[in-house]
Amino acid sequence: MDMEDVKLLVIPNSTVLTSLDSVAETSNSDEKTLGVQVFTTEEKSLDKTVRCEICGKSFGKVRYLKEHKKIHSGKKPCRDEISAKSLSRTSLALRKPIHTGNKSYHCEICGKSFVKNSNLTQHKRVHTGEKPFTCEICGEAFSHNYRLAIHKHSHTGSKPFQCEICGKSFALNSYLKSHKRIHTGEKPFQCEICEKYFGQKSSLVTHIRIHTGERPYHCDVCGKSFSFNSSLLRHKAMHSGERPFHCEMCGKSFVDNGDLTRHKKIHNEEKPEQCEICGKSFPIKSRLVNHKRTHTGEKPYHCEICGKFFVQISHLVNHVRLHTGERPYNCEICEKSFVTKGALIRHRRVHTGEKPYNCDICGKSFTNNSNLVDHLRIHTGEKPYHCDICMKSFRSSGHFAKHKKIHAGTKIASQ
């Protein structure tokens, strides 16, 4: 008997469809059904659902369940002629608007358009802050159901998906797929503006905001907007002062767990990211990326006010504050303000007397690392700053800057 001969009937919510291949014949009908009974009109008024016995997902119609089960079997009978990918019938139908560019669902708040209404619904939660999906174990709420599913693994500790190359385990198969691209070097997601490639779609989405200037994350305290949610979280910590993630080795605190994880690599001296040009190693990939620009000369971040270019986006952010006059970091002791957080940290040592940088040769201590570097040149005799006019050399950039003013004053006097 073929599946085409089977009449597909709805099943009430209490019934779980365990096999699409099992067939039963009812006593009051000659029609062949999928292992279910024929319901009365009253029964049909009940909530109608069929459920996948593999993953537990529920569907309103049997044909939707049939289509869904192909995900588990790997069966992909349809071919996308444009991308040449094999897809399920549902995936192919959803993919067509992507090729045609048809985005008929529009956000009335920011004007952004989407292929599917479900994507628009999810996007709106960025503006409203709505988090309708709640963990029944700890009460934490999420804007997307998949984020809740990911979170639940933190309670169970389940990581069933393992990388056969390095042995690392993951809570979701999608995480494993993204991880494998580290080994293969695959970068399937391309920016249409600058043609840069990315290993993860989320990285491409956040990258595009550099081009568009989109800032969808808003601070409810001061109204400031940000391109990335992580930037908003760090900003909010300035208002609340909360830094819940603590390093047990040095006691330093951080706004998010990712910052703490990256910081810990400093202590264990793990430096897995190596520059293939000079061989220098770094604890995190972002530092390697920034370092490579010293070889290439690339400066991808551009100031729209004065046209100056920068190697790192943090350098651009600090530079823009010179134009705006913004000094967001305040000393709680003397109320002095600073452009950068690093400047505030160095300033606080004036009040505390802390001198964490020590010379290994003579034992002298310094407030700042730059002062220690200048001091070490007394022992080594190094003078890396050279005057092109009189050929005199200097240990520090500060002494060199003062010296150049002598020549500048001579030029003015001769004029």
mmCIF file of all heavy atoms in Angstrom, residues 217 227-235 255-256:
data_model
loop_
_atom_site.group_PDB
_atom_site.id
_atom_site.type_symbol
_atom_site.label_atom_id
_atom_site.label_comp_id
_atom_site.label_asym_id
_atom_site.label_seq_id
_atom_site.Cartn_x
_atom_site.Cartn_y
_atom_site.Cartn_z
ATOM 1 N N TYR A 217 19.746 48.539 19.702
ATOM 2 C CA TYR A 217 19.698 48.302 21.146
ATOM 3 C C TYR A 217 19.778 49.630 21.900
ATOM 4 O O TYR A 217 20.749 50.372 21.762
ATOM 5 C CB TYR A 217 20.842 47.366 21.566
ATOM 6 C CG TYR A 217 20.789 46.041 20.841
ATOM 7 C CD1 TYR A 217 21.601 45.796 19.722
ATOM 8 C CD2 TYR A 217 19.914 45.051 21.246
ATOM 9 C CE1 TYR A 217 21.533 44.583 19.040
ATOM 10 C CE2 TYR A 217 19.848 43.830 20.566
ATOM 11 C CZ TYR A 217 20.655 43.620 19.474
ATOM 12 O OH TYR A 217 20.581 42.424 18.799
ATOM 13 N N SER A 227 24.906 49.285 18.444
ATOM 14 C CA SER A 227 24.806 48.315 17.347
ATOM 15 C C SER A 227 24.725 46.886 17.858
ATOM 16 O O SER A 227 24.136 46.027 17.208
ATOM 17 C CB SER A 227 26.017 48.442 16.413
ATOM 18 O OG SER A 227 26.079 49.708 15.818
ATOM 19 N N PHE A 228 25.308 46.622 19.024
ATOM 20 C CA PHE A 228 25.383 45.261 19.544
ATOM 21 C C PHE A 228 24.787 45.198 20.945
ATOM 22 O O PHE A 228 24.956 46.120 21.748
ATOM 23 C CB PHE A 228 26.832 44.769 19.584
ATOM 24 C CG PHE A 228 27.585 45.055 18.322
ATOM 25 C CD1 PHE A 228 28.634 45.959 18.313
ATOM 26 C CD2 PHE A 228 27.229 44.440 17.135
ATOM 27 C CE1 PHE A 228 29.323 46.227 17.144
ATOM 28 C CE2 PHE A 228 27.906 44.704 15.966
ATOM 29 C CZ PHE A 228 28.957 45.601 15.965
ATOM 30 N N ASN A 229 24.113 44.083 21.242
ATOM 31 C CA ASN A 229 23.522 43.898 22.562
ATOM 32 C C ASN A 229 24.605 43.859 23.639
ATOM 33 O O ASN A 229 24.407 44.365 24.753
ATOM 34 C CB ASN A 229 22.713 42.604 22.592
ATOM 35 C CG ASN A 229 21.919 42.440 23.865
ATOM 36 O OD1 ASN A 229 21.334 43.407 24.361
ATOM 37 N ND2 ASN A 229 21.880 41.247 24.397
ATOM 38 N N SER A 230 25.755 43.271 23.312
ATOM 39 C CA SER A 230 26.857 43.206 24.282
ATOM 40 C C SER A 230 27.335 44.612 24.668
ATOM 41 O O SER A 230 27.686 44.870 25.812
ATOM 42 C CB SER A 230 28.019 42.396 23.710
ATOM 43 O OG SER A 230 28.472 42.953 22.487
ATOM 44 N N SER A 231 27.334 45.526 23.680
ATOM 45 C CA SER A 231 27.734 46.914 23.964
ATOM 46 C C SER A 231 26.730 47.584 24.888
ATOM 47 O O SER A 231 27.106 48.365 25.781
ATOM 48 C CB SER A 231 27.844 47.711 22.657
ATOM 49 O OG SER A 231 28.800 47.139 21.801
ATOM 50 N N LEU A 232 25.443 47.282 24.687
ATOM 51 C CA LEU A 232 24.409 47.837 25.572
ATOM 52 C C LEU A 232 24.578 47.323 26.992
ATOM 53 O O LEU A 232 24.471 48.092 27.961
ATOM 54 C CB LEU A 232 23.024 47.464 25.037
ATOM 55 C CG LEU A 232 21.834 47.833 25.944
ATOM 56 C CD1 LEU A 232 21.780 49.332 26.179
ATOM 57 C CD2 LEU A 232 20.523 47.341 25.335
ATOM 58 N N LEU A 233 24.864 46.026 27.139
ATOM 59 C CA LEU A 233 25.047 45.448 28.479
ATOM 60 C C LEU A 233 26.220 46.096 29.203
ATOM 61 O O LEU A 233 26.140 46.406 30.399
ATOM 62 C CB LEU A 233 25.256 43.940 28.371
ATOM 63 C CG LEU A 233 24.059 43.109 27.889
ATOM 64 C CD1 LEU A 233 24.460 41.649 27.711
ATOM 65 C CD2 LEU A 233 22.911 43.219 28.879
ATOM 66 N N ARG A 234 27.325 46.319 28.466
ATOM 67 C CA ARG A 234 28.485 46.965 29.068
ATOM 68 C C ARG A 234 28.151 48.403 29.465
ATOM 69 O O ARG A 234 28.579 48.890 30.513
ATOM 70 C CB ARG A 234 29.665 46.939 28.100
ATOM 71 C CG ARG A 234 30.252 45.566 27.890
ATOM 72 C CD ARG A 234 31.534 45.624 27.077
ATOM 73 N NE ARG A 234 32.074 44.299 26.839
ATOM 74 C CZ ARG A 234 31.813 43.567 25.785
ATOM 75 N NH1 ARG A 234 31.021 44.036 24.839
ATOM 76 N NH2 ARG A 234 32.342 42.361 25.647
ATOM 77 N N HIS A 235 27.399 49.078 28.595
ATOM 78 C CA HIS A 235 27.011 50.460 28.891
ATOM 79 C C HIS A 235 26.129 50.536 30.135
ATOM 80 O O HIS A 235 26.311 51.411 30.983
ATOM 81 C CB HIS A 235 26.267 51.052 27.682
ATOM 82 C CG HIS A 235 25.568 52.342 27.978
ATOM 83 N ND1 HIS A 235 26.238 53.556 28.012
ATOM 84 C CD2 HIS A 235 24.265 52.618 28.256
ATOM 85 C CE1 HIS A 235 25.373 54.522 28.302
ATOM 86 N NE2 HIS A 235 24.179 53.978 28.456
ATOM 87 N N VAL A 255 31.511 42.552 33.221
ATOM 88 C CA VAL A 255 30.088 42.736 32.939
ATOM 89 C C VAL A 255 29.465 41.448 32.436
ATOM 90 O O VAL A 255 28.360 41.088 32.829
ATOM 91 C CB VAL A 255 29.875 43.869 31.905
ATOM 92 C CG1 VAL A 255 28.416 43.961 31.486
ATOM 93 C CG2 VAL A 255 30.344 45.196 32.485
ATOM 94 N N ASP A 256 30.152 40.717 31.545
ATOM 95 C CA ASP A 256 29.588 39.471 31.028
ATOM 96 C C ASP A 256 30.608 38.339 31.110
ATOM 97 O O ASP A 256 31.812 38.557 31.253
ATOM 98 C CB ASP A 256 29.063 39.638 29.599
ATOM 99 C CG ASP A 256 30.144 40.010 28.597
ATOM 100 O OD1 ASP A 256 31.111 39.234 28.475
ATOM 101 O OD2 ASP A 256 30.023 41.047 27.944
#
